[in-house]
Amino acid sequence: MSSAPRTLTVAALVLATALAGCGDDADDRPDSAASPSAPVWATPAEGTPPAPSATPSAGTTPSAPPRAGRMTPPPVVPSERGGSTPPFVMPTRPAGAPSARQVVDAFRAAKLPVAGLRDRSVDCGPDGAGLGCAELLVTDAVSVYVFPNEANAMNQADMWGTDAYRKGTVVLSYLGTTTRADQRKRYDSVLAGLG
């Protein structure tokens, strides 16, 4: 016998052995009962039992219910998915803290520029910058952030470093502006003077 047929025979035996070990024989073992929480789905080879007829014809008996342990997959309801996240709830400004509008009004009263005023509070949530602020008003010279607590305000001001000023839960940000250092000090002192 030549070595080529022997090699093919050995390769065929190895392949057959490997394929035999790939099957799921959990149901063949007596100690492996099906888990009640894991449904066993019907396979095409077993077929699906016929649905019972609402009105059996004369001379026939109603069809038997499906065999125990075999079922069709249940519909997935969103609340059963387990991985869904609750809707985002925007944080609120703490009682006693000035609102972003009050801060901007104080800037205006002090004759500081507040041109290009825009309410960007929506950017506080996950669809924006996700900073977790309660309010955000943006001007061309400064952005006014109001956070739900001092810890969040302090963390954000620390991240922005010298481009920010914080008093309580309010943070002024000068990132992306051309506001001069002397004018920044005027904005900062107006915020510092608010109750």
Side-chain angles (χ1 to χ4, degrees), residues 14-65:
V14 170
L15 180 62
T17 305
L19 289 176
C22 290
D24 182 13
D25 60 348
D27 294 330
D28 297 338
R29 294 189 311 254
D31 63 333
S32 65
S35 167
S37 64
V40 179
W41 309 112
T43 61
E46 295 168 336
T48 306
S53 172
T55 55
S57 14
T60 62
T61 59
S63 60

Side-chain angles (χ1 to χ4, degrees), residues 93-133:
R93 175 174 46 94
S99 69
R101 175 63 66 183
Q102 290 171 320
V103 174
V104 169
D105 289 345
F107 293 158
R108 187 175 283 125
K111 307 284 191 239
L112 288 168
V114 289
L117 180 62
R118 303 169 303 282
D119 185 347
R120 299 301 309 163
S121 296
V122 69
D123 289 340
C124 293
D127 294 334
L131 298 177
C133 50

Side-chain angles (χ1 to χ4, degrees), residues 75-171:
V76 176
V77 179
S79 63
E80 293 176 355
R81 287 188 182 141
S84 63
T85 57
F88 175 76
V89 177
M90 190 69 111
T92 57
R93 175 174 46 94
S99 69
R101 175 63 66 183
Q102 290 171 320
V103 174
V104 169
D105 289 345
F107 293 158
R108 187 175 283 125
K111 307 284 191 239
L112 288 168
V114 289
L117 180 62
R118 303 169 303 282
D119 185 347
R120 299 301 309 163
S121 296
V122 69
D123 289 340
C124 293
D127 294 334
L131 298 177
C133 50
E135 299 174 2
L136 170 58
L137 288 179
V138 177
T139 72
D140 295 340
V142 63
S143 297
V144 181
Y145 292 82
V146 180
F147 287 89
N149 56 55
E150 284 196 48
N152 288 6
M154 187 182 309
N155 287 341
Q156 195 59 52
D158 288 347
M159 285 180 60
W160 288 330
T162 59
D163 285 323
Y165 173 80
R166 179 188 72 85
K167 180 190 177 205
T169 60
V170 180
V171 176

Side-chain angles (χ1 to χ4, degrees), residues 161-184:
T162 59
D163 285 323
Y165 173 80
R166 179 188 72 85
K167 180 190 177 205
T169 60
V170 180
V171 176
L172 303 180
S173 172
Y174 300 101
L175 288 171
T177 69
T178 57
T179 308
R180 296 182 324 267
D182 62 324
Q183 200 166 23
R184 288 182 181 195

